[in-house]
Amino acid sequence: MEERKEAQKHQLGASKIPRILQHCSLSLFFFTIFTPIQAFDYAEALEKSLLYFESQRSGRLPYNQRITWRDHSGLTDGLEQAVDLVGGYYDAGDHVKFGLPMAFTVTMLSWGAIEYWQQIADADELEHTMEAIKWGTDYFIKAHTSPNVLWAEVGDGDTDHYCWQRPEDMTTSRQAYKIDEKSPGSDLAAETAAAMAAASIVFRKTNPHYSHLLLHHAQQLFEFGDKYRGKYDASVGVVKSYYASVSGYMDELLWAAMWLYKATDKEEYFDYVISKAHSFGGTGWAIREFSWDVKYAGLQLIASKFLNEEKHKKHSDILEQYKSKAEYYICSCLNKNKGDNNVERTPAGLLYIRQWNNMQYVSTATFLLTVYSDFLRNTNQNLSCNGGILSHEEILSFVKSQVDYILGSNPLNMSYLVGYGPKFPQRVHHRGASIVSYREHKGFIGCTQGYDNWYSREGRNPNILVGALVGGPDNEDNFEDQRENYMQTEACTYNTAPLVGVFAKLLEIENKKLFHDSNSLLVSSF
């Protein structure tokens, strides 16, 4: 019983006391007497968001695994192809390892760590963030078996979806698929390069050898993707029904070049972003979404930040074009574009892109908006949209409204971050979470047995998928908590990944406000 209580404590997490407040307990005593408790605990949300990635691990789990209802799985991945492909992440509620969304997940975790390193460290979550990143990059190193070969996928969605099993019981195909010179996949190679380049920045100080290794792979992958061009879903046909590359590969090539420039400071990569800005759509596409498939808005935002650096003044005309497209995205999210060029919202104000897994677009938007708000603040600028002026405070306030909606400030009082708050989805569309834990019941649960005995159960899932951000409500703020309602109740790694940095930033703001208010109260009380 005690072990079970301890496991539950680790799964659900306990809110940490932020460091900034540890030395002002007296101030807090006076402060909490007169002030309502803050509505949302961003420290808890941050902690739980990182726990989710441990639920999604494939391979041999480490000794410090905190999600105790999971066990080892996929230990023979790659065996048929005589390559070690053990590890990495399952992308969602199934057990296929899809390379493109996995790489984007790692890119976003790394970008969050780069932007909000200190804020994550202050919340005592830096080690867990780096572990989440490294679990992905360790796999990418394995999957990149030679300069022009990258293993793109393990398993296939069609056979996987016939079964409802725990990952520990998998009987579905573990066929592996690769891209190479004859079967190219520029989008996948470039996104993996971006992930490894971004991660190399994260590990530069703490693990320089590993950082160098990641950078070496990133440079090779970019060269491979650029030299042998083609869409990866044309080479790996089994992925088309699940993660087809609708935007093509040009956005990923620009994106990878940008991250390699940030990681190396080599002009050849920056020149690539400038010289191909028009032909690859970087300065042409005005986009209202940012996702595992469409990278333009993120690319445009990073490019626009270079305008303030003296050494890039000679390219200011191209960078201004990038900036105008980045600002189109920001303005569309804030409803400040004229006409019908804004992102739709639900009646309660949530950004709404499309019916299937809408929360992925909300989380990526909150991240880009937070980064741009910081940029405006640091450069003492406002944003001029054709529908009005926006300050960095207004942008950040909107970010907070979206995050608070996710955490429970919505018509259903439902937290869409699983395991957070008193009310959250209980029937997440997730094989492992919906079946009794392998640690409790090691008896084999077969393919159809899982459907018969667990998928169709009315009750809540036996395991809580802590930190998972589900697909979320429809365009009228309605949500049906049913396992078969996968458009709303399935969660994905790339949903949660952008929130890690955002939670850390909002936590810092709340801590500063709390610290300031408590000190003001102390001064006035004496």
Side-chain angles (χ1 to χ4, degrees), residues 292-504:
W292 59 265
D293 182 34
V294 189
K295 313 294 159 46
Y296 284 116
L299 163 76
Q300 291 156 352
L301 188 147
I302 295 175
S304 65
K305 293 171 71 175
F306 286 121
L307 267 169
N308 282 53
E309 297 183 13
E310 190 62 36
K311 65 178 180 178
H312 297 122
K313 293 294 184 186
K314 61 182 177 181
H315 299 301
S316 59
D317 56 334
I318 301 294
L319 293 175
E320 283 287 356
Q321 293 175 53
Y322 271 116
K323 183 183 178 184
S324 70
K325 296 301 187 292
E327 292 184 342
Y328 173 91
Y329 174 86
I330 305 295
C331 295
S332 72
C333 290
L334 272 293
N335 204 30
K336 289 292 184 180
N337 281 333
K338 288 183 178 177
D340 59 352
N341 294 317
N342 295 304
V343 179
E344 291 182 25
R345 298 188 191 180
T346 68
L350 183 72
L351 292 172
Y352 191 82
I353 299 291
R354 57 180 57 89
Q355 184 180 17
W356 195 309
N357 190 18
N358 181 63
M359 279 299 189
Q360 65 175 304
Y361 308 107
V362 179
S363 67
T364 52
T366 64
F367 184 85
L368 292 191
L369 292 171
T370 302
V371 171
Y372 208 72
S373 171
D374 286 344
F375 171 65
L376 292 176
R377 186 197 67 222
N378 294 337
T379 55
N380 196 28
Q381 296 182 69
N382 288 325
L383 172 56
S384 296
C385 305
N386 58 30
I389 306 295
L390 285 169
S391 67
H392 71 86
E393 293 99 338
E394 289 175 285
I395 296 173
L396 202 58
S397 176
F398 180 72
V399 168
K400 189 177 185 301
S401 75
Q402 298 298 293
V403 172
D404 288 354
Y405 185 110
I406 289 171
L407 296 180
S409 182
N410 55 64
L412 299 179
N413 296 315
M414 167 80 76
S415 167
Y416 294 104
L417 191 77
V418 179
Y420 179 93
K423 182 182 179 184
F424 52 84
Q426 302 290 330
R427 299 168 186 83
V428 181
H429 183 91
H430 188 278
R431 288 157 175 74
S434 68
I435 302 174
V436 62
S437 169
Y438 181 81
R439 297 286 182 94
E440 292 185 24
H441 177 79
K442 287 186 167 57
F444 176 75
I445 295 175
C447 184
T448 56
Q449 184 184 355
Y451 270 118
D452 294 342
N453 297 345
W454 296 98
Y455 180 76
S456 56
R457 284 174 77 241
E458 287 292 322
R460 63 182 61 184
N461 289 350
N463 308 304
I464 299 176
L465 194 65
V466 175
L469 178 61
V470 298
D474 64 16
N475 61 344
E476 294 293 327
D477 298 297
N478 299 313
F479 178 80
E480 187 179 349
D481 184 15
Q482 297 297 332
R483 213 166 285 115
E484 63 271 18
N485 181 23
Y486 45 81
M487 283 193 287
Q488 292 189 323
T489 63
E490 190 166 26
C492 302
T493 56
Y494 47 86
N495 292 16
T496 297
L499 291 178
V500 170
V502 178
F503 285 146

Side-chain angles (χ1 to χ4, degrees), residues 106-168:
V106 173
T107 305
M108 292 309 297
L109 283 170
S110 299
W111 192 4
I114 292 165
E115 294 284 345
Y116 302 109
W117 177 278
Q118 191 57 55
Q119 291 89 337
I120 294 171
D122 287 345
D124 289 331
E125 292 295 343
L126 190 56
E127 183 179 350
H128 293 137
T129 302
M130 295 175 80
E131 284 175 355
I133 293 167
K134 194 171 185 291
W135 195 267
T137 52
D138 282 352
Y139 174 77
F140 298 148
I141 291 169
K142 288 182 175 185
H144 186 215
T145 50
S146 63
N148 296 338
V149 175
L150 177 66
W151 291 88
E153 182 175 330
V154 179
D156 74 87
D158 292 342
T159 59
D160 183 272
H161 282 63
Y162 287 135
C163 289
W164 194 262
Q165 288 177 292
R166 303 173 298 195
E168 296 83 3

Side-chain angles (χ1 to χ4, degrees), residues 200-325:
S200 77
I201 300 172
V202 174
F203 290 100
R204 185 179 290 160
K205 291 182 179 179
T206 60
N207 194 341
H209 173 75
Y210 189 68
S211 173
H212 180 76
L213 178 63
L214 292 175
L215 201 51
H216 175 71
H217 281 280
Q219 290 172 309
Q220 283 191 342
L221 281 165
F222 175 72
E223 187 176 337
F224 164 48
D226 190 37
K227 185 175 181 180
Y228 301 96
R229 293 182 186 173
K231 285 175 60 178
Y232 92 115
D233 58 15
S235 299
V236 184
V238 293
V239 81
K240 280 187 176 179
S241 299
Y242 303 94
Y243 288 104
S245 182
V246 177
S247 71
Y249 57 77
M250 294 180 183
D251 54 334
E252 276 88 7
L253 285 172
L254 289 170
W255 178 241
M258 179 63 82
W259 277 109
L260 278 163
Y261 175 65
K262 287 173 71 67
T264 65
D265 207 32
K266 290 183 177 179
E267 287 298 322
E268 62 189 89
Y269 296 118
F270 190 76
D271 290 343
Y272 189 99
V273 173
I274 296 298
S275 65
K276 300 190 182 303
H278 178 69
S279 61
F280 278 16
T283 54
W285 282 104
I287 301 289
R288 282 177 280 174
E289 67 179 73
F290 177 54
S291 69
W292 59 265
D293 182 34
V294 189
K295 313 294 159 46
Y296 284 116
L299 163 76
Q300 291 156 352
L301 188 147
I302 295 175
S304 65
K305 293 171 71 175
F306 286 121
L307 267 169
N308 282 53
E309 297 183 13
E310 190 62 36
K311 65 178 180 178
H312 297 122
K313 293 294 184 186
K314 61 182 177 181
H315 299 301
S316 59
D317 56 334
I318 301 294
L319 293 175
E320 283 287 356
Q321 293 175 53
Y322 271 116
K323 183 183 178 184
S324 70
K325 296 301 187 292

